[in-house]
């Protein structure tokens, strides 16, 4: 365990001043603190602590108008420009179902919130940033030139916390229950029987929970008629083929507190070093290809016929990113997406682990 003494708020602010171009996440790592602690140290200096009341936030954001929504994990950053509309509130699950901003939110994970103002030349960049109990970012909202500053300031005032101190309590990292290697005694026959009786992709997590299997354990175990291993370069190949054919896809990036979804075509695919980037008008994606450990094509039965996903895993078993062909409930899978997924380069599957 790291026993280093954490820097005091004034030391964090000084480090920020000395490293003005460093990304917050990178600077926090250099200082041995979480990103949330880095932000909290600036309370009273361009930062206001706000309550992470997700339902109030979501219902207030529509009036702010066009913004950029950002959700990330260790290996992928997903950015969408649009409006927070078609909001569905809830204490356990909340959703935004707008044309561009499409989110699945787990409010109990959201532990810390901040409103930031950062000067950039003559401009001021404003954002709302939310973190889990360990200080990891779960979701950020960045204002755009077309955003309503009045509605934003009204929302911040309604969420402002009485505690504006420059320090926060941080817990240790929380393990993702889905990825914990449990004491499952599930048999291959039981897994295949339950898998074959799925009628909706949303039943998949419940099946894993019942069998005490992680997602990656299940895909490794189930057999190649339901899941097959692809070459790690399959993601790059998929992006280029989808862009060439203007095929609409669905792209999911998530963490414990939020999943963000793009639905539609991808056009501008730009590799840069270890990153593959999508740089479209209302959708930006940044994916670390050197973090890809395994890529699986996964086939799940539904009442509308089977659907095929590409699932990308890090070495620790975390899901980095997931893709489907664009479809709506009640529709069968797109033939062009199915053909693409089934013809990406395969490699021999490892034994179940």
């Amino acid at each position: 365990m790291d026993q280093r003494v954490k820097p005091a708020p004034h030391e964090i602010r000084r480090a920020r001043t000395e490293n003005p171009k460093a990304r917050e996440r990178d600077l926090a790592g250099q200082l041995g603190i979480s990103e949330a602690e880095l932000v909290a140290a600036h309370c009273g200096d361009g930062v206001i602590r706000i309550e992470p009341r997700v339902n109030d936030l979501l219902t207030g954001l529509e009036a702010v108008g066009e913004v950029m929504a950002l959700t990330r994990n260790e290996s992928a950053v997903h950015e969408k420009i649009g409006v927070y509309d078609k909001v569905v509130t809830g204490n356990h699950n909340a959703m935004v179902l707008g044309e561009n901003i499409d989110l699945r939110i787990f409010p109990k994970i959201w532990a810390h919130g901040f409103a930031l103002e950062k000067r950039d030349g003559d401009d001021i960049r404003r954002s709302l940033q939310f973190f889990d109990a360990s200080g990891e970012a779960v979701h950020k909202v960045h204002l755009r030139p077309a955003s309503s500053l009045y509605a934003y300031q009204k929302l911040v005032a309604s969420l402002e916390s009485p505690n504006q101190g420059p320090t926060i309590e941080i817990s240790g990292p929380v393990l993702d229950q889905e990825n914990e290697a449990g004491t499952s005694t599930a048999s291959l026959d039981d897994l295949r029987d339950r898998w074959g009786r799925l009628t909706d992709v949303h039943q998949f997590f419940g099946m894993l929970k019942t069998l005490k299997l992680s997602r990656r354990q299940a895909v490794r175990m189930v057999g190649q008629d339901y899941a097959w291993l692809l070459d790690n370069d399959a993601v790059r190949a998929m992006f280029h083929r989808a862009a060439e054919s203007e095929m609409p896809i669905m792209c999911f990036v998530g963490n414990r507190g939020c999943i963000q979804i793009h639905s539609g075509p991808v056009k501008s695919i730009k590799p840069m070093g270890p990153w593959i980037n999508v740089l479209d008008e209302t959708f930006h994606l940044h994916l670390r290809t050197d973090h890809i450990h395994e890529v699986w094509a996964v086939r799940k039965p539904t009442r509308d016929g089977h659907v095929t996903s590409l699932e990308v895993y890090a070495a620790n078993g975390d899901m980095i990113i997931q893709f489907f062909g664009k479809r709506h409930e009640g529709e069968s899978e797109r033939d062009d997406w199915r053909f693409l997924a089934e013809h990406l380069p395969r490699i021999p599957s490892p034994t179940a682990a």
Side-chain angles (χ1 to χ4, degrees):
M1 182 179 292
D2 191 343
Q3 297 294 332
R4 288 181 300 173
V5 176
K6 290 184 177 181
H10 73 276
E11 295 171 314
I12 296 172
R13 292 194 297 271
R14 184 174 66 232
R16 171 80 278 182
T17 301
E18 293 171 351
N19 298 274
K21 295 188 180 300
R23 294 180 182 275
E24 279 78 3
R25 185 182 179 92
D26 296 338
L27 181 58
Q30 293 169 21
L31 295 172
I33 59 175
S34 68
E35 187 179 353
E37 289 171 291
L38 177 68
V39 175
H42 293 79
C43 280
D45 180 21
V47 175
I48 298 172
R49 190 194 303 258
I50 59 175
E51 301 288 346
R53 301 198 307 268
V54 173
N55 292 328
D56 293 338
L57 169 76
L58 295 180
T59 53
L61 271 173
E62 183 173 1
V64 180
E66 183 185 270
V67 293
M68 188 268 276
L70 186 154
T71 301
R72 69 166 300 157
N73 54 43
E74 188 67 29
S75 307
V77 184
H78 191 298
E79 303 170 356
K80 288 285 290 187
I81 295 170
V83 177
Y84 282 71
D85 58 358
K86 299 181 181 175
V87 169
V88 180
T89 58
N91 293 326
H92 296 284
N93 299 283
M95 295 185 287
V96 181
L97 301 173
E99 181 180 353
N100 278 332
I101 296 181
D102 188 356
L103 306 171
R104 307 294 178 271
I105 293 170
F106 312 104
K108 291 187 181 300
I109 302 298
W110 295 37
H112 307 285
F114 304 93
L116 284 70
E117 291 192 354
K118 190 173 182 181
R119 186 163 292 281
D120 183 12
D122 293 332
D123 297 324
I124 296 176
R125 291 187 287 148
R126 296 176 173 88
S127 63
L128 303 174
Q129 302 190 11
F130 299 91
F131 302 85
D132 66 14
S134 70
E136 285 287 310
V138 291
H139 189 62
K140 298 181 181 181
V141 183
H142 291 267
L143 266 62
R144 307 253 311 154
S147 304
S148 167
L149 182 57
Y150 171 77
Y152 167 79
Q153 291 172 334
K154 183 178 178 182
L155 177 60
V156 171
S158 72
L159 295 173
E160 185 170 347
S161 170
N163 175 12
Q164 294 297 323
T167 62
I168 54 174
E169 290 294 323
I170 293 293
S171 67
V174 180
L175 293 176
D176 187 336
Q177 291 181 346
E178 185 183 329
N179 289 330
E180 290 179 15
T183 56
S184 176
T185 57
S187 69
L188 176 59
D189 288 343
D190 192 12
L191 172 62
R192 288 182 58 82
D193 176 62
R194 291 173 183 270
W195 193 304
R197 289 190 284 113
L198 295 172
T199 59
D200 187 300
V201 293
H202 299 106
Q203 297 168 353
F204 191 72
F205 179 71
M207 179 193 76
L208 296 177
K209 193 171 182 180
T210 299
L211 296 175
K212 297 181 180 177
L213 288 170
S214 74
R215 184 182 290 265
R216 192 169 65 155
Q217 284 174 322
V219 299
R220 285 181 161 210
M221 181 177 173
V222 71
Q224 293 198 38
D225 51 341
Y226 286 131
W228 57 96
L229 191 60
L230 299 175
D231 186 274
N232 281 3
D233 201 45
V235 175
R236 193 186 306 270
M238 180 278 296
F239 270 127
H240 286 294
R241 293 179 192 178
E244 288 168 2
S245 62
E246 300 182 352
M247 181 195 312
I249 64 171
M250 301 180 76
C251 171
F252 295 66
V253 169
N255 51 56
R256 294 178 60 251
C258 187
I259 298 169
Q260 186 162 306
I261 307 162
H262 165 75
S263 298
V266 290
K267 298 175 183 177
S268 179
I269 314 299
K270 304 288 186 184
M272 184 176 294
W275 297 88
I276 187 166
N277 304 287
V278 179
L279 302 175
D280 291 344
E281 187 177 354
T282 61
F283 174 47
H284 285 187
L285 175 75
H286 312 286
L287 172 64
R288 282 286 296 263
T289 57
D290 58 329
H291 286 189
I292 295 175
H293 184 68
E294 289 178 350
V295 182
W296 289 84
V298 181
R299 183 182 288 145
K300 303 183 185 81
T302 76
R303 62 177 62 88
D304 306 309
H306 73 258
V307 297
T308 314
S309 60
L310 296 189
E311 302 187 354
V312 182
Y313 293 92
N316 66 356
D318 284 350
M319 171 91 78
I320 296 174
I321 194 167
Q322 185 180 36
F323 304 95
F324 292 85
K326 184 180 178 180
R327 61 182 284 273
H328 298 288
E329 203 75 29
E331 295 178 350
S332 58
E333 182 168 66
R334 297 178 60 92
D335 291 337
D336 53 359
W337 169 259
R338 183 175 295 180
F339 182 87
L340 190 162
E342 292 179 350
H343 289 83
L344 291 168
R346 306 188 187 200
I347 59 177
S349 297
T351 55

